[in-house]
Amino acid sequence: MDYLKTGGIAVIDFGSQYTQLIARRIRELGVYAEVYSHDGAAAHIDEHRPAGIVLSGGPNSVYEAEAPQLPAFLLESERPVLGICYGMQLLTAALGGKVAAASQREYGPAAISHQPRSPLFDGLEAELQVWMSHGDRIESLPPGFSALAQSENSPLAAIGDLEGNRYGLQFHPEVQHSSCGQTIFRNFLFKICSCQPKWSAAAVIENAVEAIRAQVGSERALLALSGGVDSAVAGALIHRAIGERLVCIFVDHGMLRQNEAENVVQVFRHQQGMNLIAVNAVENFLTALAGITEPEAKRKTIGRRFVETFSEEARKLRGIRFLAQGTIYPDVIESAAASASAKTIKSHHNVGGLPNDMQFQLVEPLRDLFKDEVRKIGAALGLPESIIWRQPFPGPGLAIRCLGEITWERLEKLRAADAIFTSELATAGLLRHGTAQSFAVLLPVKSVGVMGDKRSYEETLVLRSVTTDDFMTADWARLPYDLLARVSARIINEVPGINRVAYDITSKPPGTIEWE
Ligand code: XMP
């Protein structure tokens, strides 16, 4: 990827919740952007030779003792710099200006007006709507800088040293509410940094195919295919590079959704022509899970069984040295950020825990890509929309949505109810947009009802539907009452063994998205 990555943008992170969004926005404009932590950035700059640098916002105040500092190399570099919020304040303080607490915090939409002199605002109306979120403000500018825009509360809403190619914005161009944000980034990339728009799905595919061929040579690679977006796109990409020499293993553990196993075989083996081994391990997993009700014990049992099943199949294949994984860029950023101090709230599993005698070299062609880029590449590779736009589904599958004991009969009940909910959401256009994750949860709680003059005493089903961008926090989706009524009526009428349907109205935090 080196050719595609050089001449891009380095985004230096000072702890803003929007840092990843900055990099995504830049990549949407066809320029590679990579996120570096403020204290580790210096080591990476020579490698990708970025054409410009963006400094993110952050929660600190520059005058606090412990506040993250501007990396020293930046002041010596000739590269154009755009500081956003905290990034602008850091730049100001480091270059001899003054930053202090504002008398009023500014949070939310604001109107700014700008001077026509700056290339940063080229092509934009004189009055713009932007999104502010700050408690500090600039009191005096560093030498060489002038005001480029102002709002009612921020006389220095944008500043710049036009000769030195250093700019600062008090507002957040990366968030959707700043409708002028993409034009500002476009101006910074192409007018100020002279970037080339090299970063496209076709170029990324071509580059990845070459890199995979160079890495794997004439050998074979193994991939655990789950049917989720990431492993599907990784599979399609590697298949394009090495064809039949990619061997995919798909484990049906019995805790998949309705028709999911059949669908995976249909799409990957028949439509994509991939070399797919489908393992039916349903009995094996159900036996291992019998009698287990404790959530972490369920996860551990499934994780262990998965590794055993996968390794057993892999051993039969003999002599494969490469293991492909659908690791994506946010996984890389998050695992670097989630230092050892992070507490395990739930143990997530992947194929990382393979036995010691199975030493693989990893092939991770999506390591540099955001989810929306992964989807674009999947589409360019010809994967169907049903795979590309799938909502996330946890590794342990329905096991952690079937509370209490897991039996085939209860799983079937849950599958049928989940399919009704999903199909009604799809009809209402709320599956791809409008909700980020929607599913059914079966509770081991019986309640009394009345059906056709008869008393019923059956289990309870909960519908869960959330909106979120990052799955770290989430809100419950405000689904239309009519839709909930239709789903509830259909489930109770069509799925024997469920006589009550509830809707979960807990946000995350304090809840989690899944129930176990
Ligand atoms: P929670 O429940 O922690 O879920 O709010 C956040 C996101 O992670 C998914 N999730 C998992 N994914 N293995 C996975 O691959 C797991 O064990 C697992 N547990 C939760 C969950 O579906 C949601 O998208």
Side-chain angles (χ1 to χ4, degrees), residues 299 346-349 392-396 400-401 437 471 508 512-516:
R299 278 168 191 275
K346 296 172 184 178
S347 57
H348 289 202
H349 88 264
F393 186 61
I400 57 169
R401 297 177 180 173
Q437 205 171 359
F471 297 87
K508 170 185 179 175
T512 50
I513 295 174
E514 304 287 348
W515 270 52
E516 286 194 336

mmCIF file of all heavy atoms in Angstrom, residues 299 346-349 392-396 400-401 437 471 508 512-516, ligand 1:
data_model
loop_
_atom_site.group_PDB
_atom_site.id
_atom_site.type_symbol
_atom_site.label_atom_id
_atom_site.label_comp_id
_atom_site.label_asym_id
_atom_site.label_seq_id
_atom_site.Cartn_x
_atom_site.Cartn_y
_atom_site.Cartn_z
ATOM 1 N N ARG A 299 -19.980 -18.178 26.775
ATOM 2 C CA ARG A 299 -19.004 -17.615 25.835
ATOM 3 C C ARG A 299 -17.729 -18.441 25.802
ATOM 4 O O ARG A 299 -17.189 -18.716 24.738
ATOM 5 C CB ARG A 299 -18.609 -16.203 26.266
ATOM 6 C CG ARG A 299 -19.552 -15.152 25.851
ATOM 7 C CD ARG A 299 -19.210 -13.866 26.588
ATOM 8 N NE ARG A 299 -20.278 -12.919 26.373
ATOM 9 C CZ ARG A 299 -20.367 -12.120 25.327
ATOM 10 N NH1 ARG A 299 -19.443 -12.125 24.413
ATOM 11 N NH2 ARG A 299 -21.393 -11.310 25.190
ATOM 12 N N LYS A 346 -17.145 -8.070 28.814
ATOM 13 C CA LYS A 346 -17.559 -9.362 28.260
ATOM 14 C C LYS A 346 -16.364 -9.871 27.468
ATOM 15 O O LYS A 346 -15.672 -9.086 26.834
ATOM 16 C CB LYS A 346 -18.721 -9.198 27.285
ATOM 17 C CG LYS A 346 -19.985 -8.685 27.906
ATOM 18 C CD LYS A 346 -20.999 -8.381 26.834
ATOM 19 C CE LYS A 346 -22.236 -7.775 27.448
ATOM 20 N NZ LYS A 346 -23.228 -7.422 26.453
ATOM 21 N N SER A 347 -16.130 -11.173 27.481
ATOM 22 C CA SER A 347 -14.979 -11.665 26.719
ATOM 23 C C SER A 347 -15.411 -11.934 25.282
ATOM 24 O O SER A 347 -16.300 -12.735 25.040
ATOM 25 C CB SER A 347 -14.435 -12.934 27.355
ATOM 26 O OG SER A 347 -15.445 -13.887 27.435
ATOM 27 N N HIS A 348 -14.826 -11.196 24.340
ATOM 28 C CA HIS A 348 -15.137 -11.424 22.930
ATOM 29 C C HIS A 348 -14.173 -12.463 22.388
ATOM 30 O O HIS A 348 -13.023 -12.486 22.768
ATOM 31 C CB HIS A 348 -14.977 -10.126 22.128
ATOM 32 C CG HIS A 348 -16.051 -9.129 22.435
ATOM 33 N ND1 HIS A 348 -16.399 -8.127 21.588
ATOM 34 C CD2 HIS A 348 -16.861 -9.018 23.501
ATOM 35 C CE1 HIS A 348 -17.380 -7.420 22.124
ATOM 36 N NE2 HIS A 348 -17.665 -7.939 23.292
ATOM 37 N N HIS A 349 -14.626 -13.309 21.481
ATOM 38 C CA HIS A 349 -13.683 -14.323 21.017
ATOM 39 C C HIS A 349 -13.395 -14.196 19.528
ATOM 40 O O HIS A 349 -14.201 -13.726 18.752
ATOM 41 C CB HIS A 349 -14.176 -15.737 21.362
ATOM 42 C CG HIS A 349 -15.075 -16.347 20.334
ATOM 43 N ND1 HIS A 349 -16.428 -16.306 20.411
ATOM 44 C CD2 HIS A 349 -14.778 -16.999 19.202
ATOM 45 C CE1 HIS A 349 -16.940 -16.914 19.371
ATOM 46 N NE2 HIS A 349 -15.972 -17.356 18.607
ATOM 47 N N PRO A 392 -24.093 -6.094 12.701
ATOM 48 C CA PRO A 392 -23.142 -6.959 13.395
ATOM 49 C C PRO A 392 -23.847 -8.085 14.151
ATOM 50 O O PRO A 392 -24.975 -7.898 14.636
ATOM 51 C CB PRO A 392 -22.445 -6.031 14.391
ATOM 52 C CG PRO A 392 -23.045 -4.697 14.244
ATOM 53 C CD PRO A 392 -24.067 -4.709 13.162
ATOM 54 N N PHE A 393 -23.190 -9.216 14.202
ATOM 55 C CA PHE A 393 -23.751 -10.390 14.892
ATOM 56 C C PHE A 393 -22.616 -10.969 15.731
ATOM 57 O O PHE A 393 -21.525 -11.191 15.205
ATOM 58 C CB PHE A 393 -24.231 -11.396 13.840
ATOM 59 C CG PHE A 393 -24.943 -12.580 14.404
ATOM 60 C CD1 PHE A 393 -26.120 -12.424 15.131
ATOM 61 C CD2 PHE A 393 -24.444 -13.867 14.222
ATOM 62 C CE1 PHE A 393 -26.791 -13.523 15.644
ATOM 63 C CE2 PHE A 393 -25.112 -14.971 14.731
ATOM 64 C CZ PHE A 393 -26.288 -14.798 15.450
ATOM 65 N N PRO A 394 -22.831 -11.192 17.030
ATOM 66 C CA PRO A 394 -21.709 -11.608 17.873
ATOM 67 C C PRO A 394 -21.236 -13.030 17.565
ATOM 68 O O PRO A 394 -22.040 -13.868 17.144
ATOM 69 C CB PRO A 394 -22.292 -11.530 19.279
ATOM 70 C CG PRO A 394 -23.763 -11.656 19.090
ATOM 71 C CD PRO A 394 -24.082 -11.046 17.755
ATOM 72 N N GLY A 395 -19.962 -13.280 17.782
ATOM 73 C CA GLY A 395 -19.395 -14.621 17.569
ATOM 74 C C GLY A 395 -20.201 -15.735 18.236
ATOM 75 O O GLY A 395 -20.526 -16.731 17.585
ATOM 76 N N PRO A 396 -20.565 -15.595 19.527
ATOM 77 C CA PRO A 396 -21.326 -16.679 20.170
ATOM 78 C C PRO A 396 -22.776 -16.761 19.684
ATOM 79 O O PRO A 396 -23.526 -17.629 20.105
ATOM 80 C CB PRO A 396 -21.299 -16.316 21.657
ATOM 81 C CG PRO A 396 -20.318 -15.214 21.801
ATOM 82 C CD PRO A 396 -20.191 -14.538 20.481
ATOM 83 N N ILE A 400 -26.002 -16.047 23.292
ATOM 84 C CA ILE A 400 -26.060 -14.972 24.293
ATOM 85 C C ILE A 400 -27.351 -14.150 24.164
ATOM 86 O O ILE A 400 -27.515 -13.133 24.814
ATOM 87 C CB ILE A 400 -24.804 -14.067 24.230
ATOM 88 C CG1 ILE A 400 -24.605 -13.461 22.839
ATOM 89 C CG2 ILE A 400 -23.563 -14.848 24.655
ATOM 90 C CD1 ILE A 400 -23.558 -12.364 22.788
ATOM 91 N N ARG A 401 -28.258 -14.650 23.296
ATOM 92 C CA ARG A 401 -29.585 -14.017 23.208
ATOM 93 C C ARG A 401 -30.664 -15.005 23.644
ATOM 94 O O ARG A 401 -31.842 -14.678 23.630
ATOM 95 C CB ARG A 401 -29.852 -13.562 21.776
ATOM 96 C CG ARG A 401 -28.873 -12.501 21.329
ATOM 97 C CD ARG A 401 -29.066 -12.092 19.903
ATOM 98 N NE ARG A 401 -28.094 -11.071 19.536
ATOM 99 C CZ ARG A 401 -27.928 -10.611 18.306
ATOM 100 N NH1 ARG A 401 -28.685 -11.083 17.321
ATOM 101 N NH2 ARG A 401 -27.029 -9.694 18.057
ATOM 102 N N GLN A 437 -28.390 -2.023 15.172
ATOM 103 C CA GLN A 437 -28.443 -3.444 15.509
ATOM 104 C C GLN A 437 -29.814 -3.744 16.103
ATOM 105 O O GLN A 437 -30.262 -3.070 17.026
ATOM 106 C CB GLN A 437 -27.330 -3.782 16.504
ATOM 107 C CG GLN A 437 -26.933 -5.237 16.454
ATOM 108 C CD GLN A 437 -25.697 -5.546 17.281
ATOM 109 O OE1 GLN A 437 -25.105 -4.676 17.904
ATOM 110 N NE2 GLN A 437 -25.308 -6.801 17.297
ATOM 111 N N PHE A 471 -20.881 1.603 18.584
ATOM 112 C CA PHE A 471 -21.212 0.455 19.410
ATOM 113 C C PHE A 471 -20.623 0.534 20.825
ATOM 114 O O PHE A 471 -20.791 -0.373 21.618
ATOM 115 C CB PHE A 471 -20.828 -0.886 18.728
ATOM 116 C CG PHE A 471 -21.612 -1.096 17.456
ATOM 117 C CD1 PHE A 471 -21.165 -0.589 16.257
ATOM 118 C CD2 PHE A 471 -22.834 -1.745 17.482
ATOM 119 C CE1 PHE A 471 -21.902 -0.727 15.088
ATOM 120 C CE2 PHE A 471 -23.591 -1.898 16.329
ATOM 121 C CZ PHE A 471 -23.124 -1.388 15.119
ATOM 122 N N LYS A 508 -27.053 2.335 26.302
ATOM 123 C CA LYS A 508 -25.744 1.843 26.722
ATOM 124 C C LYS A 508 -24.817 3.034 26.874
ATOM 125 O O LYS A 508 -24.649 3.755 25.890
ATOM 126 C CB LYS A 508 -25.186 0.883 25.675
ATOM 127 C CG LYS A 508 -23.713 0.504 25.927
ATOM 128 C CD LYS A 508 -23.146 -0.350 24.829
ATOM 129 C CE LYS A 508 -21.690 -0.677 25.128
ATOM 130 N NZ LYS A 508 -21.104 -1.600 24.170
ATOM 131 N N THR A 512 -25.865 -2.924 28.207
ATOM 132 C CA THR A 512 -25.022 -3.221 27.052
ATOM 133 C C THR A 512 -26.000 -3.527 25.916
ATOM 134 O O THR A 512 -27.202 -3.630 26.151
ATOM 135 C CB THR A 512 -24.087 -4.427 27.294
ATOM 136 O OG1 THR A 512 -24.867 -5.513 27.789
ATOM 137 C CG2 THR A 512 -22.998 -4.082 28.285
ATOM 138 N N ILE A 513 -25.482 -3.648 24.703
ATOM 139 C CA ILE A 513 -26.385 -3.894 23.579
ATOM 140 C C ILE A 513 -26.959 -5.301 23.702
ATOM 141 O O ILE A 513 -28.170 -5.499 23.658
ATOM 142 C CB ILE A 513 -25.650 -3.677 22.238
ATOM 143 C CG1 ILE A 513 -25.253 -2.199 22.116
ATOM 144 C CG2 ILE A 513 -26.534 -4.106 21.073
ATOM 145 C CD1 ILE A 513 -24.389 -1.851 20.919
ATOM 146 N N GLU A 514 -26.085 -6.282 23.867
ATOM 147 C CA GLU A 514 -26.549 -7.660 24.070
ATOM 148 C C GLU A 514 -27.032 -7.804 25.514
ATOM 149 O O GLU A 514 -26.692 -6.993 26.377
ATOM 150 C CB GLU A 514 -25.396 -8.646 23.818
ATOM 151 C CG GLU A 514 -24.750 -8.533 22.448
ATOM 152 C CD GLU A 514 -25.614 -9.071 21.316
ATOM 153 O OE1 GLU A 514 -26.627 -9.751 21.592
ATOM 154 O OE2 GLU A 514 -25.282 -8.792 20.150
ATOM 155 N N TRP A 515 -27.760 -8.895 25.756
ATOM 156 C CA TRP A 515 -28.274 -9.111 27.108
ATOM 157 C C TRP A 515 -27.331 -9.965 27.963
ATOM 158 O O TRP A 515 -27.524 -10.094 29.156
ATOM 159 C CB TRP A 515 -29.659 -9.774 27.025
ATOM 160 C CG TRP A 515 -30.762 -8.751 26.957
ATOM 161 C CD1 TRP A 515 -30.841 -7.710 26.088
ATOM 162 C CD2 TRP A 515 -31.914 -8.661 27.799
ATOM 163 N NE1 TRP A 515 -31.971 -6.977 26.323
ATOM 164 C CE2 TRP A 515 -32.654 -7.546 27.369
ATOM 165 C CE3 TRP A 515 -32.406 -9.424 28.856
ATOM 166 C CZ2 TRP A 515 -33.852 -7.173 27.975
ATOM 167 C CZ3 TRP A 515 -33.608 -9.055 29.453
ATOM 168 C CH2 TRP A 515 -34.312 -7.937 29.013
ATOM 169 N N GLU A 516 -26.366 -10.620 27.325
ATOM 170 C CA GLU A 516 -25.422 -11.425 28.127
ATOM 171 C C GLU A 516 -24.007 -11.100 27.700
ATOM 172 O O GLU A 516 -23.771 -10.753 26.542
ATOM 173 C CB GLU A 516 -25.667 -12.919 27.900
ATOM 174 C CG GLU A 516 -26.927 -13.412 28.582
ATOM 175 C CD GLU A 516 -26.992 -14.939 28.642
ATOM 176 O OE1 GLU A 516 -26.361 -15.600 27.807
ATOM 177 O OE2 GLU A 516 -27.666 -15.444 29.538
HETATM 178 P P1 XMP B 1 -22.246 -5.022 23.984
HETATM 179 O O1 XMP B 1 -23.245 -6.060 24.325
HETATM 180 O O2 XMP B 1 -20.922 -5.206 24.708
HETATM 181 O O3 XMP B 1 -21.912 -5.226 22.441
HETATM 182 O O4 XMP B 1 -22.775 -3.632 24.138
HETATM 183 C C1 XMP B 1 -21.200 -4.317 21.633
HETATM 184 C C2 XMP B 1 -21.110 -4.909 20.240
HETATM 185 O O5 XMP B 1 -20.276 -6.081 20.273
HETATM 186 C C3 XMP B 1 -21.003 -7.213 19.835
HETATM 187 N N1 XMP B 1 -20.588 -8.362 20.664
HETATM 188 C C4 XMP B 1 -19.776 -9.345 20.265
HETATM 189 N N2 XMP B 1 -19.160 -9.572 19.084
HETATM 190 N N3 XMP B 1 -18.207 -11.566 19.945
HETATM 191 C C5 XMP B 1 -18.387 -10.692 18.933
HETATM 192 O O6 XMP B 1 -17.851 -10.926 17.854
HETATM 193 C C6 XMP B 1 -18.783 -11.415 21.152
HETATM 194 O O7 XMP B 1 -18.592 -12.219 22.056
HETATM 195 C C7 XMP B 1 -19.616 -10.249 21.319
HETATM 196 N N4 XMP B 1 -20.343 -9.749 22.375
HETATM 197 C C8 XMP B 1 -20.939 -8.600 21.932
HETATM 198 C C9 XMP B 1 -22.466 -6.857 20.029
HETATM 199 O O8 XMP B 1 -23.312 -7.629 19.182
HETATM 200 C C10 XMP B 1 -22.449 -5.383 19.688
HETATM 201 O O9 XMP B 1 -22.444 -5.179 18.299
#
